[in-house]
Amino acid sequence: MKKSMLIGALAFVIVLAGCGSGKNEGNASSTPPASTTDATDGSTPDASTPAAPTPNADPVSIVAYAWPADKTEENATLDARIKRFEAKYPNVTVTPKYWKYENTEIAIKMASNSAQTEFTTWATEAQMLSSKKWIIDLTDKLNGWTYAKDLNSVALAPFIIDGKTYGIPIDAYGMTITINKKLFKDKGVELPPLDWTWDDMLTAAKAVNDPAKGIAGFVPMGKGTESGWNWTNFLYSAGGEVESVADGKVTATFNSEAGLKALQFYKDLKDANVIPKTWALGYGDALTLFKQGRAAMVMCGSGNALDTAINQGGLNKDDLLIYPIPSMTKGGKHIGIAGGNYKVINGLATKEQQQAAFDFVVDEYFTDAYLDSIDAQITSQKGKNQVYVPQLINYWNDDSEYGKKYEAVLAKHDNVYKFPAELSQLMESKKEASYETQAYYGELANVIQKVFTSKGDIDLQKILDDAAAKIQKNNFDKVKIE
């Protein structure tokens, strides 16, 4: 789900073939921009910078994650990047190949050894891919890379398992609520405080809701895995967990007291009639309603709803606000899901291929060319009366030299969306569950749909218990923890 403008620029360097499904934020995918410089920005490589092989090095062939055939500009950019890399590493041949990661297909790809040497996957997949040894431990390689210290620890977290790092972040997100404050103003409704609660959210949704005009107070995603992905933010903010892991066993725990409170909140939203009558909405559907001015609030990762609403829907950036996930009670934590897209290296490749793939992935990270491309993009967007919406979580540390240079670029322009300073202080991002996450999201979609179609009282605990029993039998009991 995911498509902020930042991702667009970055995607020209690491070049994603596509991002995850809506549940992974949906988000766009970011990658550093194509450049004519190497990863050291023209400086002399130090001992920790991989050196280009000598001309007589043994030849190595790798397959890179590419775009679908109709993405002609993106594939042309990738081809240019490959040529730069092959000039720098003359013994390496890089062949682009399109296959968008799907967790329902990865087992077949690995069994046939047909996955790319380096590919893009989601934050939810780290435990599964690493436990099956389908991807390699990158710890030693990162220790020998100049810029490893500048990677954002929050973005890295989902792919750090037992102290080992298995993936390199491309983009990351924290879940937020985007608010159309113009709809509040039009109805004379006061905005809730940024440090808000579930009650504040429900009260605001009721006040601004206007079914006669086709305006919903809040738009949750009601179909597909994104439905369960949305709801899990309330499970987390109630203090709940999706699963527990002990003695080599994964156990469903979302049918807890916290889960019941979160599901009751969804029923309260439904009973208050503040969600759309046509509630069976996917990620794109929900963001479309919001950009059309038919929703006062929508939940998604970081600033993706902002970008869509401003640059596609034509809404004024000054009419839009980003809030953290509301806390369950006053003074509680604003906990939301953290996710994103990551580069990983195929565990079935040879050692030589794995090294070449790693060199290819990181070759153009942390280049001035990326910053130049962002500068040019913001300028270009201004000419189109568009606004640049930054990521809330970048793959670099904000306090690094690179982070400071990035902030200096943003400061040059007046068409950059600025997040409330208090937002980052309130937000607390929690990584997604480690095992069978997509299956869990899908099962929770069924739970949400039962709640949204219910009439009168229903046994919410039984619905949760039934879902937990089903996913336990069909998924969690089959997980083998080594």
Side-chain angles (χ1 to χ4, degrees):
M1 327 270 206
K2 8 208 174 192
K3 266 130 186 138
S4 84
M5 300 302 289
L6 166 62
I7 285 164
L10 253 159
F12 283 125
V13 174
I14 299 173
V15 189
L16 305 182
C19 39
S21 60
K23 47 279 167 205
N24 298 301
E25 204 23 79
N27 327 290
S29 311
S30 328
T31 57
S35 76
T36 55
T37 62
D38 64 16
T40 60
D41 297 328
S43 62
T44 302
D46 61 25
S48 63
T49 303
T54 57
N56 61 352
D58 291 337
V60 179
S61 295
I62 64 173
V63 179
Y65 204 62
W67 297 84
D70 61 343
K71 298 289 186 178
T72 55
E73 182 178 348
E74 290 86 345
N75 279 314
T77 303
L78 174 58
D79 289 342
R81 179 179 169 231
I82 289 173
K83 287 182 179 179
R84 292 193 300 275
F85 180 81
E86 290 179 339
K88 185 176 178 180
Y89 295 81
N91 69 314
V92 180
T93 300
V94 182
T95 301
K97 177 184 177 181
Y98 172 64
W99 171 65
K100 177 185 175 184
Y101 182 89
E102 291 292 347
N103 66 331
T104 55
E105 299 175 3
I106 185 62
I108 296 172
K109 287 290 182 180
M110 300 311 291
S112 61
N113 198 11
S114 59
Q116 298 95 324
T117 320
E118 60 85 10
F119 56 91
T120 302
T121 187
W122 317 319
T124 56
E125 307 300 281
Q127 191 75 52
M128 183 272 290
L129 291 173
S130 62
S131 67
K132 293 180 180 295
K133 296 181 171 53
W134 288 345
I135 58 176
I136 67 169
D137 173 10
L138 297 173
T139 306
D140 288 343
K141 296 184 188 304
L142 287 170
N143 286 340
W145 181 43
T146 304
Y147 297 101
K149 66 183 184 303
D150 293 327
L151 289 173
N152 188 320
S153 60
V154 174
L156 269 175
F159 269 81
I160 297 178
I161 300 170
D162 296 331
K164 299 178 180 179
T165 305
Y166 289 87
I168 304 170
I170 296 169
D171 60 78
Y173 69 85
M175 291 295 286
T176 58
I177 305 284
T178 307
I179 289 181
N180 184 337
K181 68 179 186 180
K182 183 177 184 298
L183 295 182
F184 282 77
K185 183 179 179 180
D186 289 347
K187 290 204 72 175
V189 176
E190 185 176 348
L191 289 170
L194 199 63
D195 186 10
W196 62 340
T197 65
W198 289 6
D199 285 344
D200 291 331
M201 180 179 173
L202 181 58
T203 298
K206 289 178 179 178
V208 77
N209 193 57
D210 197 338
K213 294 183 178 178
I215 297 173
F218 174 63
V219 177
M221 295 166 195
K223 73 174 183 181
T225 50
E226 49 263 66
S227 178
W229 174 66
N230 263 203
W231 177 80
T232 300
N233 292 277
F234 294 99
L235 171 69
Y236 281 174
S237 62
E241 298 285 351
V242 172
E243 60 200 22
S244 66
V245 181
D247 301 324
K249 180 179 176 59
V250 179
T251 304
T253 58
F254 59 84
N255 56 329
S256 59
E257 181 181 353
L260 181 60
K261 290 177 180 178
L263 198 59
Q264 180 63 57
F265 182 64
Y266 257 45
K267 187 174 186 299
D268 292 343
L269 292 169
K270 182 258 181 186
D271 290 346
N273 196 34
V274 298
I275 64 174
K277 291 188 181 299
T278 54
W279 50 262
L281 303 170
Y283 183 88
D285 304 320
L287 265 60
T288 294
L289 279 185
F290 187 79
K291 77 178 182 182
Q292 292 173 342
R294 296 166 58 199
M297 297 181 280
V298 70
M299 177 164 46
C300 68
S302 300
N304 294 311
L306 281 174
D307 180 50
T308 302
I310 297 169
N311 295 316
Q312 295 180 28
L315 302 188
N316 190 311
K317 68 179 179 63
D318 296 328
D319 288 334
L320 301 173
L321 290 173
I322 290 281
Y323 276 55
I325 300 299
S327 60
M328 187 176 70
T329 56
K330 195 65 178 177
K333 294 182 178 181
H334 301 271
I335 302 176
I337 292 173
N341 295 283
Y342 294 77
K343 278 296 183 183
V344 295
I345 307 299
N346 193 322
L348 302 184
T350 66
K351 298 294 184 184
E352 294 76 16
Q353 289 173 325
Q354 290 168 354
Q355 183 62 53
F358 175 80
D359 293 340
F360 179 70
V361 166
V362 303
D363 189 47
E364 295 184 356
Y365 266 82
F366 293 100
T367 59
D368 283 342
Y370 171 57
L371 300 178
D372 291 342
S373 73
I374 291 297
D375 193 6
Q377 179 181 337
I378 298 172
T379 300
S380 174
Q381 285 185 264
K382 184 170 184 178
K384 301 174 185 176
N385 294 318
Q386 293 183 342
V387 173
Y388 177 77
V389 180
Q391 288 287 90
L392 272 171
I393 306 173
N394 296 300
Y395 67 78
W396 58 82
N397 288 320
D398 290 337
D399 59 358
S400 67
E401 288 303 313
Y402 198 75
K404 293 173 184 176
K405 290 161 72 174
Y406 173 73
E407 289 301 324
V409 170
L410 300 188
K412 292 167 52 180
H413 302 276
D414 60 4
N415 62 316
V416 174
Y417 186 87
K418 292 181 174 58
F419 298 107
E422 188 184 357
L423 179 62
S424 61
Q425 299 169 9
L426 291 172
M427 283 181 64
E428 183 172 325
S429 294
K430 180 182 178 68
K431 71 177 185 178
E432 294 172 278
S434 298
Y435 295 96
E436 296 292 330
T437 314
Q438 301 301 331
Y440 154 76
Y441 285 151
E443 185 57 39
L444 260 293
N446 296 328
V447 170
I448 302 307
Q449 288 163 16
K450 288 177 182 177
V451 172
F452 286 170
T453 55
S454 67
K455 295 181 180 179
D457 293 333
I458 57 173
D459 191 337
L460 298 178
Q461 186 65 62
K462 184 178 186 306
I463 293 174
L464 282 173
D465 288 343
D466 289 347
K470 182 177 179 181
I471 198 168
Q472 186 69 49
K473 178 180 179 180
N474 295 340
N475 300 93
F476 292 166
D477 283 346
K478 297 177 182 179
V479 173
K480 295 181 181 180
I481 303 177
E482 299 178 2

